[in-house]
Amino acid sequence: MLAGDEWIADGITRIPEVPATAKLTPVQQLHRRAVVAGGLIAVREALSRLSDIREPAVYLDFETLSLALPPFRGIAPFDVIPIQYSVHRRASGGNVDHRELLVDPAAPDVEEFARNLLGALSGAGSIVVYSSFERQRLNWLGRQVPALASDLEHAVGRLFDLLPVVQSAVAH
């Protein structure tokens, strides 16, 4: 089937004009279907992976700082330093509990940040994230604070990344 420049040369310039039989990746096929349908497409089988989330689930997000010339000891140029976390915990009955920490970016105490974060993650079944970014930051914290590396590695083992689920299951 035609692709790229060949499609344009053949007059195919809009997604709905791409033939249903075109050789596309599964994600491209999903998005083509959504455009042709003119709305939301959700692939139930792919969404079934959400059942792998273990309760009680927490939802983790980091904010970071990266400096060319970090003014603190032990931090390399352009290290991506977590300076804020946000953890939402879904409790029984549908209530949501929120914990967060914002450290002083002029003098971040990485060890205290990691200890506080581990406290916020304590008791969680799955730690739900959206991309590999949080995994990278947890691994970075483990390298920075070897005394907590095992606990941080355990947290990494409980991560559930929503990004691949959404990419393979939802298009609008």
Side-chain angles (χ1 to χ4, degrees):
M1 189 50 46
L2 302 174
D5 292 339
E6 294 173 334
W7 285 347
I8 293 170
D10 207 40
I12 297 172
T13 59
R14 299 180 65 239
I15 292 173
E17 299 166 347
V18 174
T21 56
K23 186 175 181 179
L24 302 173
T25 68
V27 171
Q28 290 169 334
Q29 291 170 1
L30 179 67
H31 284 272
R32 184 199 165 279
R33 284 180 44 215
V35 170
V36 170
L40 177 69
I41 299 286
V43 180
R44 189 173 305 273
E45 302 80 43
L47 288 173
S48 70
R49 293 185 1 220
L50 295 174
S51 65
D52 293 340
I53 296 174
R54 296 181 318 273
E55 299 293 341
V58 300
Y59 302 82
L60 172 63
D61 182 48
F62 286 122
E63 300 303 329
T64 58
L65 174 69
S66 182
L67 302 169
L69 300 171
F72 357 96
R73 182 168 283 181
I75 305 295
F78 300 109
D79 264 353
V80 181
I81 309 159
I83 61 166
Q84 179 181 14
Y85 73 75
S86 175
V87 172
H88 288 84
R89 182 182 303 266
R90 190 176 53 210
S92 60
N95 294 328
V96 176
D97 176 53
H98 180 244
R99 287 187 59 184
E100 63 183 38
L101 176 66
L102 174 62
V103 299
D104 179 357
D109 184 337
V110 174
E111 183 172 347
E112 180 55 31
F113 181 90
R115 286 187 190 286
N116 195 293
L117 172 65
L118 287 168
L121 299 176
S122 177
S126 290
I127 302 167
V128 182
V129 297
Y130 195 82
S131 82
S132 62
F133 186 74
E134 280 70 24
R135 175 183 308 275
Q136 294 164 357
R137 294 310 92 221
L138 288 168
N139 287 330
W140 182 88
L141 285 168
R143 290 189 301 276
Q144 293 297 310
V145 189
L148 299 177
S150 176
D151 293 332
L152 291 160
E153 188 175 301
H154 180 66
V156 167
R158 293 180 290 152
L159 292 179
F160 183 92
D161 188 353
L162 287 174
L163 181 59
V165 175
V166 171
Q167 285 178 327
S168 66
V170 181
H172 192 280

